[in-house]
Amino acid sequence: MNKVHYLINIKIVLMCNKDDLKYRISEVINSIIFSISNITDEDIEKYATTFREVGFVQIPSIIDSEALANLYQYVIDNSYKYFVSYQGKDREYFGRSISGHRFKRLFFKPGTEYDKIALANDKIWQIFSDELEMMSVKISELIRPIMISVGENYRYDYGSIFYYGENDFIGLHHDSHYGDMINAQFPMSMNVDGCIRIKYNDELIPFYDNPGCLNILGAHAWHDVPTISKIYNDKKPQRFNFTLVYMPIN
Ligand SMILES: [Fe+2]
């Protein structure tokens, strides 16, 4: 293959990637536009009341779960190498205890200067980074009525996707050391009954990844993600959690 053909081929692959990804994102966004238009002010007030009391609330059916599954599967199949692995045991670190954990996370913007340089000429990364960041901003605009009611003085800061494969988990912890943030999360489990558990009145209460739900998680709520285990012998268990982080406006 000569150089021109090689470059044309690369361009075609990149264009397909971009169109495929854009299509999946548009399906997700359209489904949110539809469901948000059906939520009443009374519903929103009810969710905000629960959030103020528990530090967490689950809102059902905000995203079409098939559209979300199509997007998640596409992202993991085509951008797995950009996910960062986290693994550690329970330990003390600068005076605070870090819970055991094992998971991967895709940040939509490079996390370090090193990553910025390493990814500067990576065309596939650019597509995922740009499109997923645009999607996050758009979704933050769509869910604004809900997010304002749970935290008036917060703004969308950044987006990422958590990924849990078999044996992955996060031990019991809270996130208030990162500041007074609020997370808006769109979890989905495949071939496993995944959940987040929230500590409330000294009990760990499971909130299963109900299809298309939006979880709103405050920084002070203690929570964990139980180990992802196989429930079907031949099917890979996976849990995804697209997360928008909101920080207080100073
Ligand atoms: Fe957390």
Side-chain angles (χ1 to χ4, degrees):
M1 198 189 305
N2 67 32
K3 199 175 171 189
V4 174
H5 280 122
Y6 175 74
L7 288 174
I8 289 172
N9 271 346
I10 293 231
K11 205 167 173 200
I12 288 170
V13 168
L14 289 174
M15 278 164 59
C16 290
N17 255 312
K18 193 165 177 167
D19 289 348
D20 275 356
L21 184 60
K22 271 178 171 284
Y23 174 74
R24 284 166 167 80
I25 289 174
S26 70
E27 293 285 281
V28 161
I29 286 178
N30 289 339
S31 73
I32 301 180
I33 293 172
F34 176 75
S35 49
I36 290 287
S37 68
N38 286 318
I39 291 189
T40 64
D41 290 349
E42 289 77 47
D43 291 335
I44 290 179
E45 190 41 48
K46 194 181 74 190
Y47 297 135
T49 305
T50 304
F51 180 80
R52 280 192 286 272
E53 189 187 332
V54 181
F56 176 89
V57 64
Q58 183 174 81
I59 303 175
S61 307
I62 293 289
I63 291 190
D64 177 80
S65 56
E66 207 180 307
L68 189 59
N70 285 340
L71 175 64
Y72 278 154
Q73 202 56 59
Y74 188 81
V75 168
I76 200 71
D77 289 346
N78 293 281
S79 69
Y80 185 77
K81 68 173 179 176
Y82 305 115
F83 279 72
V84 180
S85 288
Y86 294 87
Q87 191 165 357
K89 295 187 172 144
D90 287 336
R91 66 186 193 276
E92 288 295 315
Y93 184 74
F94 285 106
R96 76 175 173 93
S97 53
I98 308 243
S99 57
H101 54 274
R102 207 185 98 134
F103 61 92
K104 290 184 166 33
R105 192 171 181 183
L106 176 72
F107 290 94
F108 303 157
K109 288 178 185 157
T112 63
E113 282 308 307
Y114 174 81
D115 287 345
K116 227 181 245 178
I117 294 162
L119 294 167
N121 295 314
D122 187 324
K123 298 277 186 283
I124 301 278
W125 158 258
Q126 281 307 329
I127 289 172
F128 277 93
S129 167
D130 290 350
E131 297 300 326
L132 291 173
E133 182 55 31
M134 273 194 286
M135 174 183 83
S136 295
V137 172
K138 179 71 191 165
I139 291 178
S140 75
E141 286 163 8
L142 292 174
I143 62 172
R144 205 172 133 77
I146 299 173
M147 297 312 290
I148 279 189
S149 75
V150 297
E152 208 178 325
N153 294 314
Y154 289 75
R155 60 166 178 76
Y156 164 71
D157 195 29
Y158 67 91
S160 68
I161 296 174
F162 286 83
Y163 176 74
Y164 305 79
E166 191 178 4
N167 293 328
D168 288 357
F169 71 102
I170 298 186
L172 190 63
H173 70 287
H174 61 78
D175 294 313
S176 55
H177 40 272
Y178 294 120
D180 204 11
M181 67 176 185
I182 299 176
N183 290 324
Q185 306 190 311
F186 297 92
M188 169 165 279
S189 288
M190 296 173 188
N191 306 317
V192 62
D193 290 328
C195 69
I196 183 172
R197 294 191 303 180
I198 302 294
K199 196 172 175 192
Y200 181 62
N201 285 343
D202 282 332
E203 248 185 274
L204 271 178
I205 312 217
F207 289 86
Y208 289 95
D209 299 336
N210 288 314
C213 69
L214 164 60
N215 286 346
I216 304 178
L217 172 67
H220 303 281
W222 285 86
H223 58 283
D224 73 356
V225 174
T227 304
I228 301 298
S229 305
K230 262 188 186 173
I231 51 172
Y232 306 108
N233 260 341
D234 56 340
K235 290 188 182 157
K236 190 169 149 184
Q238 309 185 91
R239 179 175 194 264
F240 298 85
N241 201 5
F242 163 48
T243 298
L244 305 178
V245 174
Y246 289 71
M247 297 303 284
I249 302 165
N250 294 317

Short mmCIF file of all heavy atoms in Angstrom, two decimals, residues 24 53 55 75 86 105 112 121 132 145 174 182-183 228:
data_model
loop_
_atom_site.label_atom_id
_atom_site.label_comp_id
_atom_site.label_asym_id
_atom_site.label_seq_id
_atom_site.Cartn_x
_atom_site.Cartn_y
_atom_site.Cartn_z
N ARG A 24 -24.18 7.30 18.54
CA ARG A 24 -24.53 6.72 19.85
C ARG A 24 -24.77 7.81 20.89
O ARG A 24 -25.68 7.72 21.71
CB ARG A 24 -23.42 5.77 20.31
CG ARG A 24 -23.45 4.45 19.57
CD ARG A 24 -22.17 3.66 19.77
NE ARG A 24 -22.30 2.29 19.34
CZ ARG A 24 -22.24 1.88 18.08
NH1 ARG A 24 -22.06 2.75 17.11
NH2 ARG A 24 -22.37 0.61 17.77
N GLU A 53 -31.59 14.79 52.77
CA GLU A 53 -31.67 13.94 53.95
C GLU A 53 -30.61 12.82 53.93
O GLU A 53 -29.97 12.53 54.94
CB GLU A 53 -33.07 13.32 54.02
CG GLU A 53 -33.32 12.58 55.32
CD GLU A 53 -34.66 11.84 55.30
OE1 GLU A 53 -35.58 12.29 54.60
OE2 GLU A 53 -34.73 10.80 55.98
N GLY A 55 -28.05 12.34 51.38
CA GLY A 55 -26.78 12.60 50.69
C GLY A 55 -26.71 11.84 49.38
O GLY A 55 -25.66 11.78 48.72
N VAL A 75 -17.56 2.50 23.64
CA VAL A 75 -16.43 3.19 24.29
C VAL A 75 -15.41 2.16 24.81
O VAL A 75 -14.22 2.30 24.57
CB VAL A 75 -16.93 4.11 25.43
CG1 VAL A 75 -15.77 4.61 26.28
CG2 VAL A 75 -17.69 5.30 24.86
N TYR A 86 -6.82 1.71 38.55
CA TYR A 86 -6.60 2.04 39.96
C TYR A 86 -6.71 0.75 40.76
O TYR A 86 -7.66 -0.01 40.59
CB TYR A 86 -7.64 3.04 40.46
CG TYR A 86 -7.54 4.39 39.81
CD1 TYR A 86 -8.20 4.65 38.61
CD2 TYR A 86 -6.77 5.40 40.37
CE1 TYR A 86 -8.09 5.88 37.98
CE2 TYR A 86 -6.66 6.64 39.75
CZ TYR A 86 -7.32 6.87 38.55
OH TYR A 86 -7.21 8.08 37.94
N ARG A 105 -10.78 3.95 34.97
CA ARG A 105 -11.52 5.20 34.77
C ARG A 105 -10.99 5.92 33.53
O ARG A 105 -9.78 6.01 33.32
CB ARG A 105 -11.34 6.09 36.01
CG ARG A 105 -12.28 7.27 36.06
CD ARG A 105 -12.19 7.98 37.41
NE ARG A 105 -13.10 9.09 37.49
CZ ARG A 105 -13.19 9.92 38.52
NH1 ARG A 105 -12.42 9.73 39.60
NH2 ARG A 105 -14.04 10.92 38.52
N THR A 112 -2.70 14.45 33.40
CA THR A 112 -1.38 14.98 33.78
C THR A 112 -0.72 15.64 32.56
O THR A 112 -1.15 15.42 31.41
CB THR A 112 -0.46 13.84 34.24
OG1 THR A 112 -0.27 12.94 33.12
CG2 THR A 112 -1.04 13.06 35.40
N ASN A 121 -0.85 13.77 19.75
CA ASN A 121 -1.02 13.42 18.33
C ASN A 121 -1.84 12.15 18.12
O ASN A 121 -1.81 11.58 17.04
CB ASN A 121 0.36 13.25 17.68
CG ASN A 121 1.09 14.57 17.68
OD1 ASN A 121 0.52 15.60 17.33
ND2 ASN A 121 2.35 14.55 18.12
N LEU A 132 -16.86 13.00 23.93
CA LEU A 132 -17.39 12.67 25.26
C LEU A 132 -17.46 13.92 26.15
O LEU A 132 -18.37 14.07 26.95
CB LEU A 132 -16.55 11.57 25.92
CG LEU A 132 -16.68 10.18 25.26
CD1 LEU A 132 -15.69 9.19 25.86
CD2 LEU A 132 -18.10 9.64 25.38
N PRO A 145 -32.03 21.58 35.69
CA PRO A 145 -33.13 21.82 36.65
C PRO A 145 -33.01 20.91 37.88
O PRO A 145 -33.30 21.33 39.00
CB PRO A 145 -34.39 21.49 35.86
CG PRO A 145 -34.01 21.54 34.42
CD PRO A 145 -32.55 21.23 34.35
N HIS A 174 -16.01 7.93 51.77
CA HIS A 174 -16.74 9.12 51.31
C HIS A 174 -15.74 9.96 50.53
O HIS A 174 -14.55 9.64 50.48
CB HIS A 174 -17.35 9.90 52.48
CG HIS A 174 -16.34 10.41 53.45
ND1 HIS A 174 -15.58 11.52 53.19
CD2 HIS A 174 -15.94 9.94 54.65
CE1 HIS A 174 -14.76 11.72 54.20
NE2 HIS A 174 -14.94 10.77 55.10
N ILE A 182 -20.54 17.32 44.16
CA ILE A 182 -21.71 16.46 43.93
C ILE A 182 -21.47 15.73 42.61
O ILE A 182 -21.03 16.33 41.62
CB ILE A 182 -23.01 17.29 43.84
CG1 ILE A 182 -23.27 18.06 45.15
CG2 ILE A 182 -24.20 16.40 43.53
CD1 ILE A 182 -24.49 18.97 45.10
N ASN A 183 -21.73 14.41 42.62
CA ASN A 183 -21.60 13.63 41.39
C ASN A 183 -22.97 13.31 40.81
O ASN A 183 -23.87 12.88 41.54
CB ASN A 183 -20.92 12.28 41.66
CG ASN A 183 -19.45 12.43 42.01
OD1 ASN A 183 -18.78 13.30 41.48
ND2 ASN A 183 -18.97 11.60 42.90
N ILE A 228 -17.71 -7.00 41.65
CA ILE A 228 -18.44 -7.44 40.45
C ILE A 228 -18.12 -8.93 40.23
O ILE A 228 -16.98 -9.29 39.97
CB ILE A 228 -17.99 -6.61 39.22
CG1 ILE A 228 -18.24 -5.11 39.45
CG2 ILE A 228 -18.64 -7.11 37.95
CD1 ILE A 228 -19.68 -4.72 39.66
#
